[in-house]
Structures are given as structure tokens and as C-alpha cells.
């Protein structure tokens, strides 16, 4: 019975990628920041959290509060595009070292996968990490990185490793929904 439920859920989620209208029916809500120029889908039942001096926006699961998505916006030197900043693997290693596991943090981030995709004339890098934290539960992060209007946008989903297999399809859909304009 559980296999059937998982199969149906994955089928609905895969359809939602090709039709955003279906995403709402599949339990995803839309967030739009027209001022900064980005949007994404996030799971129904997640709440927006105010963070001072941190990401532009953060949402987390109401029940499993350590599951979250966030957007960080940074300036890009000389208005370079994403491919001028580096390949998906190069950017993946830089992001892992600078953000997920900075020196002396005690954390480590292994780049598991790095892909490039195109959508509406924009280039996105999809980066997947296995993150080890000292004295805490390991995590799995998947990020979408893009450049628009001289800014680097990093959309990151962070999930406890113990839940990753259950939610990786959903999180892939969420991360792939991220778009900048």
C-alpha cells in the first residue's frame, strides 16, 4: 500500500514540474518576490520565518522545523553571468566551502552532484550536497544558483539526512521551481 501511495505522490509531483497549476493541487504554494525578482514553490504547511542579517527569505516545515528553504542574494562582480563565474562543479565547490562548511566551522560539505539547466533564457546550476555537522544530525542540501540583474541568487533546501529519501522528489521539484527574472 505504501509503495502505491509513494508512486502516486511521485507521479503527481513530476507532473507538477511541467504544469505549475497542478503544483498547487499537489500541495505546493507559490512565493513571489517581485521587488528582488524571484519566485519558487514551497510545500503546503511550511511557514515563513523572519531572519535578521541572514537570507532574504526562509520557510520551514511546521512539524519538522529543521527542514527549510532559503534565498540568499549576493552582488556579482562586473555584472558577470553565471557561466563566467565558473562551471557547476566549480561554483558547487566554492559555495560548499564558503557557505555550507566555512573554515573552522567544524562542518563538511561534499558536493554530490552538479548540473546545469536552462529555463526562460536563464542558466541555473543545481547543486546537491551531503553535509556533516559536528554533534548534530547530518543533512542533505540541494540548491539552485542563478544570476540576474547583477546579483547571484542562491535558493537552498536543507533536509535532515534521515528524511532525505522520503522527500527528495518533492525537494527536487521545489528547487527546480526556483526562477529569477
Amino acid at each position: 500500500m505504501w509503495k502505491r501511495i509513494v508512486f502516486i505522490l511521485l507521479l503527481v509531483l513530476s507532473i507538477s514540474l511541467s504544469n505549475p497549476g497542478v503544483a498547487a493541487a499537489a500541495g505546493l504554494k507559490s512565493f513571489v518576490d517581485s521587488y528582488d525578482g524571484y519566485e519558487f514553490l514551497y510545500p503546503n504547511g511550511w511557514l515563513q520565518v523572519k531572519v535578521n542579517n541572514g537570507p532574504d527569505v526562509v520557510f520551514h516545515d511546521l512539524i519538522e522545523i529543521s527542514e527549510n528553504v532559503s534565498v540568499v542574494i549576493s552582488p556579482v562582480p562586473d555584472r558577470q553571468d553565471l557561466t563566467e563565474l565558473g562551471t557547476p562543479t566549480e561554483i558547487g565547490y566554492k559555495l560548499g566551502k564558503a557557505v555550507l562548511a566555512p573554515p573552522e566551522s567544524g562542518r563538511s560539505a561534499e558536493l554530490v552532484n552538479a548540473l546545469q539547466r536552462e529555463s526562460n533564457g536563464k542558466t541555473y546550476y543545481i547543486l546537491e550536497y551531503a553535509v556533516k555537522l559536528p554533534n548534530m544530525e547530518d543533512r542533505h542540501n540541494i540548491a539552485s544558483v542563478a544570476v540576474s540583474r547583477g546579483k547571484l541568487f542562491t535558493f537552498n533546501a536543507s533536509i535532515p539526512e534521515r528524511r532525505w529519501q522520503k522527500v527528495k522528489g518533492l525537494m527536487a521539484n521545489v528547487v527546480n521551481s526556483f526562477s529569477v527574472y
Side-chain angles (χ1 to χ4, degrees):
M1 167 130 173
W2 284 108
K3 288 182 180 180
R4 182 177 291 171
I5 291 170
V6 170
F7 173 75
I8 291 170
L9 180 61
L10 289 174
L11 181 63
V12 169
L13 292 175
S14 67
I15 292 171
S16 71
L17 268 180
S18 61
N19 185 349
V22 175
L28 296 174
K29 290 186 172 183
S30 177
F31 176 81
V32 177
D33 183 333
S34 56
Y35 178 78
D36 290 312
Y38 66 87
E39 59 187 52
F40 59 88
L41 299 174
Y42 65 95
N44 192 20
W46 283 35
L47 302 172
Q48 185 174 357
V49 185
K50 295 291 182 193
V51 179
N52 293 326
N53 300 321
D56 193 57
V57 68
V58 177
F59 283 85
H60 72 80
D61 189 332
L62 181 61
I63 297 167
E64 185 71 49
I65 61 171
S66 69
E67 291 183 15
N68 63 76
V69 295
S70 62
V71 176
V72 174
I73 305 171
S74 310
V76 175
D78 303 322
R79 299 191 59 85
Q80 295 175 310
D81 69 21
L82 188 58
T83 57
E84 291 172 321
L85 294 175
T87 66
T89 302
E90 291 168 341
I91 296 298
Y93 281 124
K94 289 176 188 176
L95 181 66
K97 287 181 181 180
V99 177
L100 299 174
E104 301 178 23
S105 68
R107 297 180 289 200
S108 67
E110 177 187 348
L111 183 62
V112 175
N113 203 1
L115 305 169
Q116 179 176 328
R117 74 177 181 90
E118 305 291 324
S119 180
N120 296 324
K122 297 278 186 193
T123 300
Y124 297 83
Y125 291 169
I126 307 299
L127 310 169
E128 183 179 348
Y129 300 90
V131 180
K132 296 197 180 300
L133 305 169
N135 304 320
M136 294 180 71
E137 183 176 19
D138 292 346
R139 302 192 63 78
H140 208 99
N141 286 43
I142 185 167
S144 179
V145 181
V147 170
S148 181
R149 299 176 334 276
K151 296 177 184 172
L152 178 71
F153 292 81
T154 304
F155 178 76
N156 185 59
S158 183
I159 308 297
E161 191 63 45
R162 68 179 160 74
R163 296 221 350 111
W164 178 246
Q165 290 303 315
K166 293 178 185 174
V167 299
K168 71 179 181 179
L170 173 64
M171 288 299 109
N173 286 341
V174 168
V175 169
N176 284 318
S177 75
F178 180 69
S179 65
V180 296
Y181 44 92

PDB file of all heavy atoms in Angstrom, residues 48-61:
ATOM      1  N   GLN A  48       6.752  30.947   6.720  1.00  0.00           N
ATOM      2  CA  GLN A  48       7.833  31.907   6.513  1.00  0.00           C
ATOM      3  C   GLN A  48       8.351  32.372   7.866  1.00  0.00           C
ATOM      4  O   GLN A  48       7.587  32.599   8.797  1.00  0.00           O
ATOM      5  CB  GLN A  48       7.349  33.107   5.700  1.00  0.00           C
ATOM      6  CG  GLN A  48       8.460  34.074   5.357  1.00  0.00           C
ATOM      7  CD  GLN A  48       8.010  35.195   4.430  1.00  0.00           C
ATOM      8  OE1 GLN A  48       6.874  35.236   3.984  1.00  0.00           O
ATOM      9  NE2 GLN A  48       8.910  36.105   4.146  1.00  0.00           N
ATOM     10  N   VAL A  49       9.678  32.481   7.977  1.00  0.00           N
ATOM     11  CA  VAL A  49      10.330  32.883   9.213  1.00  0.00           C
ATOM     12  C   VAL A  49      11.124  34.154   8.946  1.00  0.00           C
ATOM     13  O   VAL A  49      11.827  34.245   7.940  1.00  0.00           O
ATOM     14  CB  VAL A  49      11.303  31.778   9.697  1.00  0.00           C
ATOM     15  CG1 VAL A  49      11.889  32.137  11.049  1.00  0.00           C
ATOM     16  CG2 VAL A  49      10.623  30.432   9.745  1.00  0.00           C
ATOM     17  N   LYS A  50      11.017  35.110   9.831  1.00  0.00           N
ATOM     18  CA  LYS A  50      11.811  36.337   9.710  1.00  0.00           C
ATOM     19  C   LYS A  50      13.208  36.085  10.269  1.00  0.00           C
ATOM     20  O   LYS A  50      13.368  35.560  11.362  1.00  0.00           O
ATOM     21  CB  LYS A  50      11.158  37.485  10.483  1.00  0.00           C
ATOM     22  CG  LYS A  50       9.817  37.895   9.927  1.00  0.00           C
ATOM     23  CD  LYS A  50       9.965  38.563   8.590  1.00  0.00           C
ATOM     24  CE  LYS A  50       8.610  39.007   8.072  1.00  0.00           C
ATOM     25  NZ  LYS A  50       8.626  39.371   6.683  1.00  0.00           N
ATOM     26  N   VAL A  51      14.220  36.450   9.497  1.00  0.00           N
ATOM     27  CA  VAL A  51      15.608  36.278   9.909  1.00  0.00           C
ATOM     28  C   VAL A  51      16.317  37.616   9.721  1.00  0.00           C
ATOM     29  O   VAL A  51      16.283  38.193   8.646  1.00  0.00           O
ATOM     30  CB  VAL A  51      16.309  35.188   9.061  1.00  0.00           C
ATOM     31  CG1 VAL A  51      17.753  35.038   9.477  1.00  0.00           C
ATOM     32  CG2 VAL A  51      15.572  33.865   9.176  1.00  0.00           C
ATOM     33  N   ASN A  52      16.939  38.089  10.783  1.00  0.00           N
ATOM     34  CA  ASN A  52      17.699  39.337  10.703  1.00  0.00           C
ATOM     35  C   ASN A  52      19.121  39.043  10.262  1.00  0.00           C
ATOM     36  O   ASN A  52      19.732  38.078  10.724  1.00  0.00           O
ATOM     37  CB  ASN A  52      17.720  40.046  12.059  1.00  0.00           C
ATOM     38  CG  ASN A  52      16.343  40.535  12.452  1.00  0.00           C
ATOM     39  OD1 ASN A  52      15.546  40.920  11.609  1.00  0.00           O
ATOM     40  ND2 ASN A  52      16.047  40.502  13.739  1.00  0.00           N
ATOM     41  N   ASN A  53      19.648  39.882   9.372  1.00  0.00           N
ATOM     42  CA  ASN A  53      21.031  39.760   8.892  1.00  0.00           C
ATOM     43  C   ASN A  53      21.340  38.374   8.340  1.00  0.00           C
ATOM     44  O   ASN A  53      22.392  37.804   8.620  1.00  0.00           O
ATOM     45  CB  ASN A  53      22.021  40.111  10.013  1.00  0.00           C
ATOM     46  CG  ASN A  53      21.816  41.518  10.507  1.00  0.00           C
ATOM     47  OD1 ASN A  53      21.552  42.425   9.730  1.00  0.00           O
ATOM     48  ND2 ASN A  53      21.918  41.705  11.803  1.00  0.00           N
ATOM     49  N   GLY A  54      20.417  37.812   7.594  1.00  0.00           N
ATOM     50  CA  GLY A  54      20.613  36.485   7.023  1.00  0.00           C
ATOM     51  C   GLY A  54      20.018  36.412   5.630  1.00  0.00           C
ATOM     52  O   GLY A  54      20.046  37.396   4.884  1.00  0.00           O
ATOM     53  N   PRO A  55      19.455  35.268   5.283  1.00  0.00           N
ATOM     54  CA  PRO A  55      18.846  35.103   3.965  1.00  0.00           C
ATOM     55  C   PRO A  55      17.725  36.112   3.712  1.00  0.00           C
ATOM     56  O   PRO A  55      17.131  36.640   4.661  1.00  0.00           O
ATOM     57  CB  PRO A  55      18.293  33.673   4.017  1.00  0.00           C
ATOM     58  CG  PRO A  55      19.086  32.991   5.075  1.00  0.00           C
ATOM     59  CD  PRO A  55      19.403  34.055   6.084  1.00  0.00           C
ATOM     60  N   ASP A  56      17.426  36.320   2.439  1.00  0.00           N
ATOM     61  CA  ASP A  56      16.345  37.228   2.053  1.00  0.00           C
ATOM     62  C   ASP A  56      15.007  36.694   2.533  1.00  0.00           C
ATOM     63  O   ASP A  56      14.145  37.452   2.966  1.00  0.00           O
ATOM     64  CB  ASP A  56      16.346  37.416   0.527  1.00  0.00           C
ATOM     65  CG  ASP A  56      15.475  38.571   0.084  1.00  0.00           C
ATOM     66  OD1 ASP A  56      15.703  39.700   0.556  1.00  0.00           O
ATOM     67  OD2 ASP A  56      14.562  38.326  -0.729  1.00  0.00           O
ATOM     68  N   VAL A  57      14.824  35.379   2.450  1.00  0.00           N
ATOM     69  CA  VAL A  57      13.588  34.743   2.904  1.00  0.00           C
ATOM     70  C   VAL A  57      13.905  33.315   3.354  1.00  0.00           C
ATOM     71  O   VAL A  57      14.813  32.679   2.811  1.00  0.00           O
ATOM     72  CB  VAL A  57      12.500  34.757   1.796  1.00  0.00           C
ATOM     73  CG1 VAL A  57      12.861  33.856   0.638  1.00  0.00           C
ATOM     74  CG2 VAL A  57      11.136  34.383   2.342  1.00  0.00           C
ATOM     75  N   VAL A  58      13.172  32.854   4.363  1.00  0.00           N
ATOM     76  CA  VAL A  58      13.310  31.484   4.868  1.00  0.00           C
ATOM     77  C   VAL A  58      11.915  30.927   5.131  1.00  0.00           C
ATOM     78  O   VAL A  58      11.073  31.605   5.712  1.00  0.00           O
ATOM     79  CB  VAL A  58      14.127  31.434   6.189  1.00  0.00           C
ATOM     80  CG1 VAL A  58      14.182  30.009   6.735  1.00  0.00           C
ATOM     81  CG2 VAL A  58      15.515  31.993   5.999  1.00  0.00           C
ATOM     82  N   PHE A  59      11.693  29.687   4.703  1.00  0.00           N
ATOM     83  CA  PHE A  59      10.488  28.933   5.042  1.00  0.00           C
ATOM     84  C   PHE A  59      10.938  27.642   5.697  1.00  0.00           C
ATOM     85  O   PHE A  59      11.958  27.074   5.306  1.00  0.00           O
ATOM     86  CB  PHE A  59       9.682  28.575   3.782  1.00  0.00           C
ATOM     87  CG  PHE A  59       8.890  29.718   3.211  1.00  0.00           C
ATOM     88  CD1 PHE A  59       9.480  30.620   2.349  1.00  0.00           C
ATOM     89  CD2 PHE A  59       7.536  29.873   3.516  1.00  0.00           C
ATOM     90  CE1 PHE A  59       8.759  31.669   1.798  1.00  0.00           C
ATOM     91  CE2 PHE A  59       6.806  30.919   2.983  1.00  0.00           C
ATOM     92  CZ  PHE A  59       7.422  31.825   2.112  1.00  0.00           C
ATOM     93  N   HIS A  60      10.157  27.168   6.690  1.00  0.00           N
ATOM     94  CA  HIS A  60      10.471  25.868   7.271  1.00  0.00           C
ATOM     95  C   HIS A  60       9.188  25.080   7.503  1.00  0.00           C
ATOM     96  O   HIS A  60       8.094  25.636   7.590  1.00  0.00           O
ATOM     97  CB  HIS A  60      11.301  25.997   8.565  1.00  0.00           C
ATOM     98  CG  HIS A  60      10.536  26.512   9.747  1.00  0.00           C
ATOM     99  ND1 HIS A  60       9.700  25.725  10.511  1.00  0.00           N
ATOM    100  CD2 HIS A  60      10.498  27.736  10.301  1.00  0.00           C
ATOM    101  CE1 HIS A  60       9.173  26.443  11.484  1.00  0.00           C
ATOM    102  NE2 HIS A  60       9.643  27.674  11.372  1.00  0.00           N
ATOM    103  N   ASP A  61       9.355  23.773   7.617  1.00  0.00           N
ATOM    104  CA  ASP A  61       8.244  22.864   7.861  1.00  0.00           C
ATOM    105  C   ASP A  61       7.669  23.143   9.247  1.00  0.00           C
ATOM    106  O   ASP A  61       8.412  23.384  10.198  1.00  0.00           O
ATOM    107  CB  ASP A  61       8.754  21.422   7.772  1.00  0.00           C
ATOM    108  CG  ASP A  61       7.631  20.399   7.802  1.00  0.00           C
ATOM    109  OD1 ASP A  61       6.566  20.667   8.379  1.00  0.00           O
ATOM    110  OD2 ASP A  61       7.821  19.298   7.244  1.00  0.00           O
TER     111      ASP A  61
END
